[in-house]
Structure formats: C-alpha cells, structure tokens
C-alpha cells in the first residue's frame, strides 16, 4: 500500500494523466469549441454589436470628428494667417528695399554732383593759380629781359673802353711807347 501512495509509482502517473485529460474531453453534444460561434448566442451578440456600433458612431459623429474638424480648421486658419502675415512682411520688406535702393541712387547722384562741383571748383582754382603763376613768371621774365638788356647795353658800352685799353696795352708792349687815348678811341670806333 505504501508503494501505491507514492506519486512516483508507475501506475499513479497514468491515473493522474487520465484524470487531467478527463476534464478537457469534448462535449458529446457536438457543440465544443468557441461559444461565439454557437447559434444560441448570436442574438445577444448582434444586439451588443448594434449597441456598441451606435454608441461608437454617436461618439465619433458628435464628439471626436467635430473636435478634429475644429483642430483642422484652426490649423488651416493659423497657416493662412501666417502665410498672409509673411506676404505682408515680404511686401513691406520689398517696399523698404526699393526705398533704400532709391535713397542710395539719390545719394550716388548727389555724390556725383558734389564730386563734379568739387572738380570744377578745383579746376577753376588751379586755372586761377596757374594764371597767377604765369603772370608772375611773365613779370619776372620781363624784368629779367630788361636787366639783361641793361647789362648787355652797359657791357656793349664798356666794350669800346675795354678794347681801347687792351689795344693800348698791346701797342705799349709791342712798341714800348704808349698810344694816346684819343688815337685808341678812334681806332676802336673805326674797327666797330
């Protein structure tokens, strides 16, 4: 009896297996399997299906879809206003850029006019200074020519005296006697 009470006995294992399988044996009425597929439960299942469908449809049509629509409309409005604002800012920036270009062109025109005026003024000042310098040079040249004429005339006047002195010195050296001043002047005038 002790051998039959132990669970490790060979006969006890097969009896335990038979007992375990006995609870899982298929029903003999041929229905076995999932209860959803048994016709007796289909009426209740169809009622619950319709009830859940109506609840979900009502929730979707009255709660979720309007919320999604509002979010979509809000998003579209936000995007449209952002695009309109971007266009407005772009137009404003283009207008400012055009105004800046016009101001730059006006500044360039004014700068060119100022530069031309400064150049004309500088040329006029240069011409005036050059004319003044030319006048000074002409005066200095006329004074120098006058001095040269005066020196030349005085030198030419002295040439006769120098020639007479030189001729007297040569005569005295060659002849040993001096010639008179009147003879020397007469000889110098006759040579000229």
């Amino acid at each position: 009896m002790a051998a039959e009470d132990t669970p490790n006995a060979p006969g006890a294992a097969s009896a335990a297996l038979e007992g375990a399988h006995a609870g899982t044996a298929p029903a003999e009425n041929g229905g076995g399997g999932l209860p959803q597929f048994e016709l007796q439960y289909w009426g209740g299942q169809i009622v619950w299906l319709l009830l859940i469908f109506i609840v979900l449809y009502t929730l979707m049509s009255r709660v979720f879809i309007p919320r999604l629509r509002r979010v979509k409309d809000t998003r579209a409005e936000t995007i449209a206003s952002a695009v309109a604002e971007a266009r407005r800012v772009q137009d404003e920036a283009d207008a400012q850029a055009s105004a800046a270009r016009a101001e730059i062109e006006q500044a360039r025109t004014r700068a060119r006019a100022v530069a031309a005026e400064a150049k004309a003024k500088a040329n006029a000042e240069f011409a005036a200074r050059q004319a003044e310098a030319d006048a000074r040079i002409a005066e200095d040249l006329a004074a120098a020519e006058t001095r040269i004429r005066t020196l030349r005339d005085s030198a030419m006047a002295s040439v006769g005296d120098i020639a007479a002195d030189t001729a007297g010195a040569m005569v005295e050296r060659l002849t040993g006697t001096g010639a008179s001043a009147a003879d020397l002047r007469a000889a110098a005038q006759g040579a000229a």
Side-chain angles (χ1 to χ4, degrees), residues 35 57 59 61 67 69 81 107 119 123 125 141 152 167 175-176:
Y57 180 80
L59 283 174
S61 67
R67 284 184 185 175
R69 216 174 260 143
S81 66
K119 185 177 179 181
N123 286 341
E125 287 178 8
L141 186 61
R152 185 187 65 206
T175 60

Side-chain angles (χ1 to χ4, degrees), residues 6 22 44 49 56 59 74 89 103 125 127 153 169 175:
T6 60
L49 174 71
L56 286 177
L59 283 174
T74 304
V89 169
E103 286 178 12
E125 287 178 8
D153 290 343
T175 60

